[in-house]
């Protein structure tokens, strides 16, 4: 969300608005496709189950691998958000120190119960809202451009280059990457018949919020938008002195509260894959099954956290990480796969025209994923 203004800078008002609105509509429809499949195949309860129904164990493994890449990328983006923000407040401190700091905190929190981590993650929601409100307050409190909502910055209606337009694909697709959790939400609903209505409300409200922050940031900073809007705000000299410390508080709470939650599924995947939770390790406490910490699991977490740290040191652009996730991952799990599931599992319910539209959508999605991924990896910001 904090990169959407950067996406507007790359694409311009017209293309950016069309893409954000279009991706919102398309992913809303593919979310409904997932709901229809779950209704037709009640034995499926997760995204992986749907992948298994479509393509067997190999396709399920592919889907799981993509989820892991998605979560690793999200972890790196949270590390970058934390380190970049605090580096702006303390420019004399090496940015790597902040990256190592949040990795150490996350390593410690990885031993906490998931229920406690989930409760703590609620604070991230308030931090996000605090960041958005603070950005708007900054725009209203200043009359100097860039950084003001009254004296707008230089903006473009159209993209300055094809490369920038392609790079923006992933940035505008990234906010819609929640499809893997929709099956579980569907199963938890008391009245699944209202699933489609819930999708409409969710995607419309999310679009409004995303467009608001994208528009506010672009109006305030225009062609000078950084890959994270917080960089612009914290680098400005026209705002009150209390703005940057407050931003750091919000942006410190947000990654810390979310990173432990994001990394936990990855830890579970590799611990199960390498059979670290063997039967002999299982004990029971108060009637609940728990897995005691072993040296093997401890070393595994050290290596995993070290890998996240290395990736954050190699990939230093928050915007490019978001663009990569949006292109390589979100296009795949929110666009390509649901349409493939639709063609494979609902084929008898589709007309020839609907099948043609779905196949065309698969081609468009794969093209967008490939082009956007290449742009995210190769694009050099001017």
């Amino acid at each position: 969300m904090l990169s959407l203004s950067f996406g507007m800078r790359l694409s311009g008002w017209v293309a950016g608005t069309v893409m954000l609105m279009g991706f919102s509509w398309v992913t809303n429809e593919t979310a409904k496709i997932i709901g229809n499949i779950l209704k037709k195949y009640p034995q499926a309860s997760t995204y992986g189950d749907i992948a298994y129904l479509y393509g067997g164990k190999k396709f399920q493994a592919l889907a799981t691998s993509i989820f892991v890449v998605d979560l690793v990328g999200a972890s790196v983006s949270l590390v970058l958000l934390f380190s970049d923000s605090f580096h702006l407040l303390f420019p004399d401190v090496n940015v790597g120190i902040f990256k190592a700091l949040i990795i150490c905190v996350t390593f410690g929190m990885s031993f906490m119960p998931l229920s406690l981590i989930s409760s703590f993650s609620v604070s991230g929601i308030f931090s996000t809202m605090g960041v958005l409100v603070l950005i708007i307050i900054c725009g209203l409190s200043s009359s100097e451009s860039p950084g003001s909502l009254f004296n707008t910055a230089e903006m473009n209606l159209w993209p300055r280059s094809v490369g920038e337009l392609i790079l923006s694909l992933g940035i505008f697709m990234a906010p819609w990457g929640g499809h893997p959790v929709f099956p579980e939400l569907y199963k938890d609903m008391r009245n699944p018949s209202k699933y489609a209505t819930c999708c409409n409300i969710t995607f419309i409200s999310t679009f409004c919020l995303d467009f608001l922050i994208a528009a506010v940031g672009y109006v305030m900073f225009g062609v000078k938008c950084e890959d994270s809007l917080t960089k612009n705000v914290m680098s400005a000299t026209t705002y009150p002195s209390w703005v940057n410390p407050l931003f750091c508080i919000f942006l410190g709470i947000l990654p810390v509260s979310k990173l432990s939650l994001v990394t936990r599924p990855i830890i579970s995947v590799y611990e199960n894959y390498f059979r670290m939770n063997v039967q002999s390790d299982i004990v029971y406490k108060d009637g609940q099954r728990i897995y005691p910490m072993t040296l093997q699991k401890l070393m595994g977490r050290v290596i995993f956290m070290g890998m996240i740290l290395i990736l954050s040191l190699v990939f230093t652009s928050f915007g490019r990480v978001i663009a990569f996730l949006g292109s390589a991952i979100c296009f795949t799990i929110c666009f390509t796969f649901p349409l493939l599931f639709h063609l494979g599992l609902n084929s008898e319910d589709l007309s020839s025209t609907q099948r043609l539209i779905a196949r065309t959508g698969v081609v468009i999605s794969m093209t967008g994923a490939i082009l956007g991924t290449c742009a995210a990896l190769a694009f050099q910001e001017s």
Side-chain angles (χ1 to χ4, degrees):
M1 184 166 58
L2 294 174
S3 289
L4 289 174
S5 298
F6 179 61
M8 281 291 188
R9 167 197 152 181
L10 296 173
S11 63
W13 275 115
V14 177
T17 302
V18 170
M19 281 192 288
L20 190 60
M21 185 179 298
F23 291 156
S24 171
W25 176 77
V26 168
T27 51
N28 184 18
E29 294 302 312
T30 55
K32 294 175 185 176
I33 288 174
I34 291 176
N36 291 333
I37 293 173
L38 293 169
K39 181 179 180 180
K40 185 176 181 179
Y41 300 91
Q43 70 272 27
S45 58
T46 66
Y47 195 96
D49 291 340
I50 298 175
Y52 178 79
L53 289 174
Y54 173 77
K57 290 185 177 180
K58 291 184 178 180
F59 199 86
Q60 186 181 37
L62 173 63
T64 301
S65 300
I66 293 175
F67 299 160
V68 170
V69 173
D70 184 23
L71 293 174
V72 168
S75 301
V76 172
S77 69
L78 288 170
V79 172
L80 293 177
L81 181 63
F82 179 89
S83 60
D84 289 349
S85 301
F86 276 86
H87 183 60
L88 288 172
L89 188 62
F90 303 102
D92 294 332
V93 180
N94 188 286
V95 69
I97 300 297
F98 296 116
K99 294 178 181 180
L101 175 62
I102 190 173
I103 289 294
C104 290
V105 172
T106 304
F107 175 74
M109 293 182 67
S110 70
F111 301 100
M112 296 169 58
L114 185 59
S115 58
L116 184 59
I117 295 176
S118 300
S119 300
F120 183 62
S121 70
V122 175
S123 62
I125 299 175
F126 296 103
S127 297
T128 302
M129 296 306 300
V131 168
L132 299 182
V133 171
L134 193 55
I135 290 173
I136 294 175
I137 291 175
C138 288
L140 294 174
S141 65
S142 175
S143 59
E144 296 183 23
S145 180
S148 172
L149 285 171
F150 299 108
N151 188 11
T152 60
E154 177 188 353
M155 296 173 283
N156 296 318
L157 283 177
W158 305 99
R160 294 180 295 182
S161 69
V162 175
E164 291 188 348
L165 177 64
I166 294 175
L167 180 63
S168 69
L169 288 173
I171 294 175
F172 288 120
M173 190 66 180
W176 315 107
H179 285 52
V181 304
F182 287 161
E184 297 181 36
L185 295 176
Y186 179 91
K187 292 296 182 179
D188 286 340
M189 293 182 68
R190 292 185 178 181
N191 190 355
S193 63
K194 296 183 179 180
Y195 173 80
T197 302
C198 291
C199 285
N200 290 335
I201 295 173
T202 299
F203 279 85
I204 290 173
S205 58
T206 302
F207 167 77
C208 292
L209 182 61
D210 287 346
F211 183 76
L212 173 64
I213 192 62
V216 167
Y218 194 43
V219 167
M220 288 171 62
F221 298 101
V223 295
K224 294 184 179 180
C225 278
E226 299 280 354
D227 57 2
S228 174
L229 188 54
T230 55
K231 291 182 181 180
N232 289 105
V233 176
M234 295 182 69
S235 299
T237 58
T238 58
Y239 301 138
S241 58
W242 50 265
V243 168
N244 282 6
L246 192 56
F247 256 115
C248 278
I249 292 174
F250 287 142
L251 295 176
I253 294 175
L254 179 60
V256 170
S257 64
K258 296 298 183 183
L259 191 54
S260 299
L261 200 60
V262 170
T263 55
R264 182 59 64 91
I266 309 175
I267 293 173
S268 298
V269 167
Y270 77 69
E271 286 185 351
N272 290 331
Y273 181 81
F274 291 108
R275 301 181 63 83
M276 295 182 183
N277 293 320
V278 293
Q279 192 69 24
S280 59
D281 287 335
I282 299 176
V283 298
Y284 289 86
K285 181 179 180 180
D286 298 329
Q288 293 184 341
R289 187 173 63 175
I290 61 174
Y291 298 94
M293 182 56 57
T294 63
L295 179 61
Q296 185 184 25
K297 292 165 70 173
L298 179 63
M299 293 305 299
R301 296 191 187 188
V302 170
I303 294 172
F304 170 63
M305 294 298 171
M307 181 194 70
I308 297 295
L309 177 60
I310 292 172
L311 288 174
S312 69
L313 293 172
V314 173
F315 300 98
T316 58
S317 172
F318 179 78
R320 288 183 192 172
V321 171
I322 296 298
F324 171 78
L325 291 178
S327 298
I329 306 301
C330 293
F331 265 109
T332 302
I333 63 177
C334 304
F335 200 161
T336 306
F337 280 3
L339 290 178
L340 289 176
F341 298 156
H342 196 40
L343 288 168
L345 301 176
N346 292 335
S347 58
E348 67 275 10
D349 301 325
L350 303 178
S351 65
S352 57
T353 301
Q354 289 174 321
R355 283 193 288 270
L356 177 61
I357 293 174
R359 292 191 183 102
T360 303
V362 170
V363 173
I364 293 174
S365 175
M366 293 179 66
T367 302
I370 294 171
L371 292 177
T373 301
C374 292
L377 296 176
F379 179 75
Q380 296 294 324
E381 186 177 350
S382 57

